[in-house]
Amino acid sequence: GISFHSDLLGAARALFGDGSGIVAIIGTGSNSCLYENGRIVSNIRPGGFILGDEGSGAALGKALLADLVKGMLPEEIKADFDRIYGLDYPTIVRKVYREPAASAFLASFAPFLMERMTHPYVRTLVSDCMEAFVKRSLARYGAEAKVGVVGSLGCACEDILREVAAPYGLEFVKFVKSPIEELVRYHGI
């Protein structure tokens, strides 16, 4: 759709101006494109939080809740989660499957994970989600291009992204929380 395109184009211009690179948006959802000489030349569809959006806040929340409902969270993580959110199984299922804004609900757990990045379980969960994004999107552009990231979640996961992308030969050159300032510079406003 047009909004995805304008988000992508805005991110691309903020990262690379009229240059070239692989653009990664990592926030509530995720998206990417190959940008060459100021134009988007390829876009692997994001797929949304059910079919894709790997690496996104929604994907992280989905992985966390999937482990929670299956009884796979480490005890200390589960205790923290229960104390903070107090969600029971029927509530989780209702919010994910029956209420609007399921993606935002899932992404709302990303800060919980970011605050616990030193825990091996959390680090592995986040690593796995980011690697899925690298493997299923970024590495598929087949370009020896530099990668730029837009989004506060992407910025928070900079070290993990660099780590999981290294075997794919991807080099991250820029991390921008919000593209607005860079866009103002690009447009000379």
Side-chain angles (χ1 to χ4, degrees), residues 27 69 91 135 144 188:
V69 302
T91 303
K135 181 175 154 190
E144 285 299 313

Side-chain angles (χ1 to χ4, degrees), residues 152-188:
S152 52
L153 181 59
C155 290
C157 295
E158 178 176 348
D159 60 327
I160 285 182
L161 280 165
R162 289 183 188 282
E163 189 180 293
V164 299
Y168 296 91
L170 294 171
E171 183 194 349
F172 289 84
V173 295
K174 198 167 184 181
F175 285 81
V176 176
K177 267 187 188 156
S178 164
I180 297 304
E181 287 156 38
E182 303 287 336
L183 280 172
V184 166
R185 196 170 303 130
Y186 173 84
H187 289 288

Side-chain angles (χ1 to χ4, degrees), residues 60-180:
L60 293 176
K62 183 174 152 184
L64 177 70
L65 292 185
D67 283 358
L68 174 71
V69 302
K70 296 287 184 183
M72 296 171 64
L73 290 186
E75 195 44 55
E76 60 278 14
I77 299 293
K78 184 182 183 323
D80 275 359
F81 187 90
D82 290 344
R83 179 177 48 76
I84 294 166
Y85 300 105
L87 294 168
D88 60 6
Y89 180 70
T91 303
I92 291 169
V93 169
R94 186 183 76 246
K95 287 187 166 293
V96 171
Y97 292 102
R98 304 219 184 335
E99 292 182 9
S103 181
F105 170 71
L106 292 170
S108 74
F109 302 107
F112 174 86
L113 292 168
M114 293 302 106
E115 289 160 11
R116 289 159 182 79
M117 285 296 287
T118 56
H119 192 288
Y121 162 82
V122 173
R123 185 149 183 104
T124 299
L125 181 146
V126 174
S127 247
D128 290 350
C129 284
M130 292 300 161
E131 184 170 11
F133 180 57
V134 167
K135 181 175 154 190
R136 297 173 59 81
S137 292
L138 305 184
R140 294 189 48 230
Y141 289 106
E144 285 299 313
K146 309 286 186 211
V147 181
V149 176
V150 164
S152 52
L153 181 59
C155 290
C157 295
E158 178 176 348
D159 60 327
I160 285 182
L161 280 165
R162 289 183 188 282
E163 189 180 293
V164 299
Y168 296 91
L170 294 171
E171 183 194 349
F172 289 84
V173 295
K174 198 167 184 181
F175 285 81
V176 176
K177 267 187 188 156
S178 164
I180 297 304

